[in-house]
């Protein structure tokens, strides 16, 4: 039954119960029921959205810790709803650019309904004929991350040798496919045989390997890249980064997107061969996707085209219902997900 505008309705939400040190558990979060008012305050430019899908992304781990020094995104607040990118429908709006019924994506709550004080941070969905869930992934933040990191930071050329870690994840699967479209040779690493098979059969990687089965990562990379690596798309850090540095070619590029192997360690691992950056004239550059939001609509058109032409394919792992959101998020850190992890809050 459709709720009438302005009434108070129950609002299931996922809140942070305690700050996390080490590996997070489902118990660090709690699913509670609050209420939401389906109207915007008179005279405000806010909007109320009904959340359809919310995204689970590795960077959220950092927001679950209390930081003495502020990080690049603020810490979550204890007892408050978790927030992350999601796909929503506008159900009340005082903003001239957003009308009731509009489909949007942006930073929303892990809850059924969210009051958005600043709707201008949201993007309108221009391709509702594609699966709406794609706007948490290939057409949303992870897609823009892959596109900006690979092209703007990685600066690929046809014939480059490209290595992608966490290659079957939300970002990695796209980096590999964009690299193939550019005419590169692409190898990916992942943490299960099922994922390795996906990389080779579904995403078109030239080669892929299960890093858990390799005793010596340095030797594995020498095997797959006898000529060395031009671009390493960095998603994991730690021992993988160390092995890669020994196998980079002169003037290689390393777009640093994330380092998921380090997020749950109380003491991060060191990398012992950083002099390779000097000896090989490497460029390792970190980037944050928010810096590219001004280019989003250009990206959306390009990626929607690739999807419709069958040039890019995308694999999702969808958990049904907010009750399953805590487990879905925790699963990212052990690689339980296959492809982009998201939660269906309400299917239309």
């Amino acid at each position: 039954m459709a709720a009438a505008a302005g009434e108070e309705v129950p609002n299931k939400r996922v809140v942070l119960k305690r700050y996390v040190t080490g590996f997070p558990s489902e118990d660090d979060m709690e699913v509670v029921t609050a209420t939401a008012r389906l109207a915007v305050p008179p005279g405000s430019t806010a909007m109320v959205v009904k959340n359809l899908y919310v995204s689970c992304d590795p960077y959220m781990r950092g927001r679950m810790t209390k930081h003495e020094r502020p990080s690049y995104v603020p810490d979550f607040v204890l007892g408050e709803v978790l927030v992350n990118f999601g796909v929503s429908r506008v159900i009340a709006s005082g903003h001239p650019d957003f009308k009731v019924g509009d489909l949007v994506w942006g930073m929303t709550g892990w809850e059924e309904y969210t009051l958005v004080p600043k709707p201008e941070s949201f993007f309108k969905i221009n391709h509702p004929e594609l699966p709406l869930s794609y706007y948490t992934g290939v057409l949303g933040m992870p897609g823009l991350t892959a596109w900006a990191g690979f092209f703007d930071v990685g600066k690929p050329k046809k014939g480059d040798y490209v290595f992608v870690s966490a290659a079957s994840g939300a970002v990695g699967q796209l980096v590999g496919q964009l690299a193939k479209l550019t005419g590169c040779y692409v190898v990916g690493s992942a943490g299960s045989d099922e994922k390795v098979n996906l990389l080779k059969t579904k995403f078109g990687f030239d080669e892929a390997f299960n890093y858990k089965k390799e005793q010596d990562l340095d030797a594995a990379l020498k095997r797959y890249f006898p000529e060395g690596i031009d671009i390493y798309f960095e998603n994991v850090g730690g021992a993988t980064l160390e092995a890669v540095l020994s196998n980079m070619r002169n003037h290689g590029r390393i777009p640093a997107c994330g380092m998921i192997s380090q997020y749950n360690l109380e003491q991060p691992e060191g990398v012992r061969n950083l002099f390779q950056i000097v000896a090989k004239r490497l460029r390792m550059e970190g980037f944050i996707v928010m810096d590219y939001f001004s280019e989003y609509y250009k990206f959306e058109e390009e990626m929607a085209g690739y999807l419709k032409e069958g040039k890019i394919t995308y694999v999702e792992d969808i958990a049904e219902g907010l009750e399953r959101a805590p487990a879905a998020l925790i699963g990212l850190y052990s690689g339980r997900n296959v492809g982009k992890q998201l939660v269906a809050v309400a299917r239309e």
Side-chain angles (χ1 to χ4, degrees), residues 28-208:
D28 294 324
M29 294 165 271
E30 191 173 17
V31 181
V32 299
T33 301
T35 57
R37 184 175 286 288
L38 305 187
V40 296
S44 94
T45 57
M47 67 180 179
V48 177
V49 297
K50 177 183 180 179
N51 296 314
L52 308 179
Y53 298 96
V54 292
S55 178
C56 298
D57 296 293
Y59 88 94
M60 293 176 73
R61 172 63 188 83
R63 304 190 70 178
M64 299 170 85
T65 294
K66 188 79 187 134
H67 286 88
E68 297 309 312
R69 280 188 195 158
S71 181
Y72 70 96
V73 278
D75 301 339
F76 289 139
V77 179
L78 289 185
E80 293 282 328
V81 70
L82 298 185
V83 294
N84 193 25
F85 297 100
V87 173
S88 317
R89 187 179 285 284
V90 179
I91 56 172
S93 174
H95 197 284
D97 297 339
F98 295 92
K99 307 277 182 282
V100 171
D102 281 355
L103 287 164
V104 295
W105 76 270
M107 191 62 81
T108 191
W110 274 28
E111 57 191 349
E112 293 173 280
Y113 300 97
T114 300
L115 174 68
V116 179
K118 294 198 175 77
E120 48 277 5
S121 68
F122 273 65
F123 295 102
K124 283 197 178 169
I125 286 175
N126 290 314
H127 288 279
E129 69 281 4
L130 291 165
L132 287 178
S133 55
Y134 277 11
Y135 282 87
T136 66
V138 57
L139 289 170
M141 184 275 284
L144 184 61
T145 300
W147 183 78
F150 185 61
F151 290 118
D152 189 61
V153 185
K155 301 201 167 22
K157 302 182 299 295
K158 189 177 175 188
D160 276 350
Y161 296 106
V162 176
F163 177 51
V164 186
S165 54
S168 70
V171 174
Q173 55 174 295
L174 293 171
V175 173
Q177 293 179 83
L178 291 170
K180 287 308 297 175
L181 287 174
T182 309
C184 301
Y185 175 82
V186 189
V187 179
S189 64
S192 74
D193 292 347
E194 178 193 4
K195 293 176 181 181
V196 167
N197 187 47
L198 261 183
L199 292 174
K200 293 201 278 199
T201 58
K202 193 160 179 77
F203 301 135
F205 282 61
D206 294 289
E207 286 290 347

Side-chain angles (χ1 to χ4, degrees), residues 149 153-154 163 229-235 241 244-245 248 251-257 259 277 282-287:
V153 185
F163 177 51
I229 300 166
D230 292 298
I231 298 175
Y232 168 46
F233 198 95
E234 166 66 304
N235 287 315
L241 174 58
V244 166
L245 286 172
M248 291 294 292
H251 304 289
R253 285 86 67 207
I254 304 177
C257 175
M259 296 191 178
I277 292 176
L282 305 178
R283 187 163 62 82
M284 181 169 180
E285 184 180 342
F287 71 99

